[in-house]
Amino acid sequence: MTAGTTDQADGSGVLQASGGIIEVRCPADGRIVGRVPDLGAAGVQAAAKQLRAAQPAWEALGPEGRAKHMRNFLDWILDNEANLVGIMQEESGKSWGDAALEVSMAVDLINYYSGHAAEFLADRKVPSWGASGLTKKLRVFARPHQLVGMITPWNGPLGGPMLDGVAALMAGAAVLFKPSEVTPLTWAEATRGWLEDLGAPPVLANVTGGPEAGAAVVDEVDMIMFTGSTRTGRKIAARAGERLIPCSLELGGKDPMVVLSDADIDRASSAAAWGGMWNSGQICISVERVYVEAPVYDEFVAKVTDKVKNLRQGMDPDGSFTTDIGAMCTPAQLDIVEKHVNDAVAKGARVLTGGKRAEDGQFFEPTVLVDVDHSMLCMRDETFGPTLPIMKVDSEQEAVRLANDSRYGLSASVWSRSRSRADRIARQIEAGAVNVNNVMMSTFQLTIPMSGWKESGVGSRSGGAAGMLKFCRQQSVVSERIHLRSEPHWYPYVPKKSELQAKMVRFLGAHDWRRRLGRTPKR
Ligand code: NAD
C-alpha cells in the first residue's frame, strides 16, 4: 500500500478516499495490475449511509423484482466472463482454469437464490400449540437486516463475495462489501458492472481498504458476515458481541482426508491431487493432510506423487487452460508454506516431489510429503498452500483419532467402497461436512449447510432457505382467529373463573388421573 490521496471513483458510489492508495501486484510476476483507494472508516460510513437510503425500495421490490436485477447481473457476468477471469487471474496469480471455476460458482448461486427466494422468504404459517394458542393464528415473517456487512479474504475474488452476497441481496438487504486489500479488483469491476453498466439499484457497495476499513464495517452494519482467518474472526466476533449484532464466521480449516484400505485408489489419488492443489491449496476446504491405511499406503503415495509431479505450474495466457496450478497470492502465505515444509523436513519428513519456492514469482512447487507426524506444523496449522502431507495409519480408529486431533473442523473426506464403513467414519469425524469418495464438493451443494466446527467458524452458510434467512430477522406475528371481548387470563381475576382455569390446566396438562382431578396424594 502506498501513501497518497485520490479522488478516483471505484464503483462504490463513494468518491473520496481517506488518504491511501492500494497497489495491486500480480503474484506471478510482480507487475502492478491496478490501484484502488483505501477508503478507510470515512468511506465505510459514507457508503453505509447511501446503502441504508436505498434499501427500503430494494426490499419493497419483493423477491421477484429483485430476481430480475440479479438475473441481469448473471447475464452481465457471462457477457464479461473473459474480462472478469482475466482481472482475477492478474490480481491473484491463479491458473485460468482455477479462476474460471469462480464464474461457474457465481452462475450457480444466482440461479439458485433468485429461483428460490420467493419460496424461502414466504410468510411461514405455524400450527399453534396448547390452550393459549387455540384461538390464535401464528405466522413468521422474514424481514431482512437493513445493512449487512461482508468482509472477504483474497483467495476467491469473485466467488468469495458471491457466496453470501447473492443470498443477502435476494433477502432484501443492502450489502456493504469490503474485499481483501490483496485482491480488490475483480469485485470492484463486478460492482461497477452492477451500478454503472446495469444501472441496478445502489444496494451494494464495494469499499476498498485494509483492516481499518474492515473494522469500520463491523461498526456500521446490522449484521456481519466474515470469511477469513480465525485470528481476524475472533476480533470481529468480539466487536460484534460488544455491538450486539449477529455475526457469521467462515474461518480457517485443516481438512483431513481418510483413505481406507478398500478405497478406489485411482480416484482417491486424483482427488487428493486436485483437492490439495486447487488454487495452489489456498482454499479453506482444501485437503490439508492425508491418512492412509497401511495396506494401500504405498500404492496411494506412488499414484498421488506421480499425479502431483505432472501438474503444470504457472500463470497461463488468457483463456488457454494450459497450466493447472498458479501462484501463491501473498509473500506472507508463501513464507508460511515454506516454513511448514522446512519444519517437516527438519523433523524427519521426506519430500517426494516439489518442496521449494520458485526463483521467479510467488510460486511454491506442488509438494508431497511423507513420514510426517503431528509434531509437525504441516499437520497441525493451516498451511493454505500446495502441499499434501501423507501419514500411514494402522486402523480406521487411528485415522479418526488423528483426523480429530485438530483445533479446526471445517470439512473432511472419507474414502471407502463400503457405504456403511464410510458413514461410520463420517459420524465420528469432528467437522461440519464430510465428503464420501470426493473432496471439497460439500461447499458447492447449496442445499446443505456449510458450518465450521471448533475454530473453523460460527454459524453456517448455504443450506437451502437457511442460507437466505440468516440475513433476515424472524418476526413472529400472532393474530386472533375469532373476536373475543376479553381473554380468560385478563383482569379482573374472579375466583370462579380463575379456579376453573386452574382446573383446566391440571386436566389438560397432568399425566395421571389423580393429578388431573386434583386429588391430594395418600400419606
Ligand atoms: P484475513 O483474516 O487476514 O483477512 C480477511 C479480511 O479481513 C480482509 O478483507 C481483511 O482486510 C479483513 N480484516 C483484517 N483485519 C481486520 C479487522 N481487525 N477487522 C475487520 N476486518 C479485518 O484472511 P486472509 O489471509 O485474507 O484469508 C485467508 C484465510 O481465510 C484462511 O484462514 C482461510 O482458511 C480463510 N477462508 C475461509 C473460508 C471459509 O469459508 N471458511 C473461505 C475462504 C478463506
Side-chain angles (χ1 to χ4, degrees), residues 381-424:
D381 289 355
E382 188 181 42
T383 307
F384 221 57
T387 58
L388 272 175
I390 309 173
M391 196 169 163
K392 190 194 289 187
V393 292
D394 288 332
S395 63
E396 62 180 54
Q397 289 80 3
E398 189 187 8
V400 169
R401 182 179 62 74
L402 290 166
N404 288 340
D405 180 23
S406 173
R407 61 197 174 97
Y408 294 110
L410 196 54
S411 66
S413 68
V414 177
W415 293 79
S416 169
R417 284 193 169 88
S418 159
R419 285 183 190 172
S420 57
R421 202 178 173 206
D423 278 4
R424 186 171 69 232

Side-chain angles (χ1 to χ4, degrees), residues 151-156 163-164 178-182 209-218 225-233 235-236 249-253 282-285 330 333 382 384 408 410 443 450 452 456-457 461:
I151 302 177
T152 44
W154 40 257
N155 62 337
L163 254 179
D164 301 289
K178 208 299 283 171
S180 168
E181 58 276 33
V182 179
E212 186 206 337
V217 172
V218 189
M225 171 76 230
F226 173 75
T227 308
S229 66
T230 298
R231 186 189 62 254
T232 309
K235 293 184 196 163
I236 287 177
L249 308 174
E250 294 288 344
L251 309 176
Q282 300 166 112
I283 175 146
C284 51
I285 45 165
T330 71
Q333 200 59 47
E382 188 181 42
F384 221 57
Y408 294 110
L410 196 54
T443 293
M450 173 186 187
S456 288
R461 66 156 60 101

Side-chain angles (χ1 to χ4, degrees), residues 126-383:
V126 183
S128 63
W129 191 85
S132 74
L134 280 176
T135 57
K136 308 291 176 273
K137 178 179 165 189
L138 307 185
R139 285 162 303 157
V140 180
F141 296 170
R143 305 264 314 276
H145 288 288
Q146 187 178 49
L147 183 56
V148 172
M150 247 166 233
I151 302 177
T152 44
W154 40 257
N155 62 337
L158 181 69
M162 295 293 287
L163 254 179
D164 301 289
V166 176
L169 285 165
M170 282 307 305
V175 185
L176 202 169
F177 289 93
K178 208 299 283 171
S180 168
E181 58 276 33
V182 179
T183 55
L185 302 177
T186 310
W187 194 245
E189 174 59 6
T191 308
R192 194 200 60 71
W194 173 278
L195 294 173
E196 293 179 14
D197 292 355
L198 296 174
V203 286
L204 68 112
N206 177 49
V207 177
T208 47
E212 186 206 337
V217 172
V218 189
D219 280 344
E220 285 297 324
V221 297
D222 306 323
M223 187 226 165
I224 184 74
M225 171 76 230
F226 173 75
T227 308
S229 66
T230 298
R231 186 189 62 254
T232 309
R234 279 185 210 285
K235 293 184 196 163
I236 287 177
R239 183 62 190 137
E242 280 170 7
R243 289 202 57 224
L244 292 179
I245 58 166
C247 78
S248 183
L249 308 174
E250 294 288 344
L251 309 176
K254 189 73 194 166
D255 288 6
M257 174 176 191
V258 173
V259 184
L260 300 173
S261 52
D262 62 342
D264 175 342
I265 299 301
D266 280 327
R267 181 173 164 84
S269 54
S270 295
W274 184 74
M277 304 298 159
W278 188 73
N279 212 24
S280 279
Q282 300 166 112
I283 175 146
C284 51
I285 45 165
S286 70
V287 176
E288 285 258 333
R289 51 200 170 111
V290 190
Y291 304 99
V292 189
E293 274 196 307
V296 290
Y297 175 82
D298 289 341
E299 183 190 355
F300 179 85
V301 168
K303 286 186 170 158
V304 91
T305 305
D306 187 49
K307 286 169 187 173
V308 170
K309 208 178 263 176
N310 285 313
L311 292 175
R312 300 155 301 171
Q313 190 168 36
M315 201 177 95
D316 43 353
D318 286 12
S320 66
F321 297 98
T322 47
T323 64
D324 301 303
I325 168 171
M328 298 304 298
C329 215
T330 71
Q333 200 59 47
L334 183 59
D335 289 347
I336 291 172
V337 180
E338 187 172 49
K339 185 172 151 196
H340 283 200
V341 171
N342 290 347
D343 169 79
V345 171
K347 289 174 179 161
R350 280 184 300 131
V351 174
L352 296 188
T353 184
K356 52 184 193 313
R357 63 167 77 204
E359 284 178 10
D360 294 320
Q362 280 165 211
F363 293 94
F364 197 91
E365 294 172 351
T367 298
V368 175
L369 291 165
V370 291
D371 300 343
V372 291
D373 62 46
H374 277 216
S375 71
M376 300 171 185
L377 293 172
C378 69
M379 297 302 276
R380 305 201 61 88
D381 289 355
E382 188 181 42
T383 307

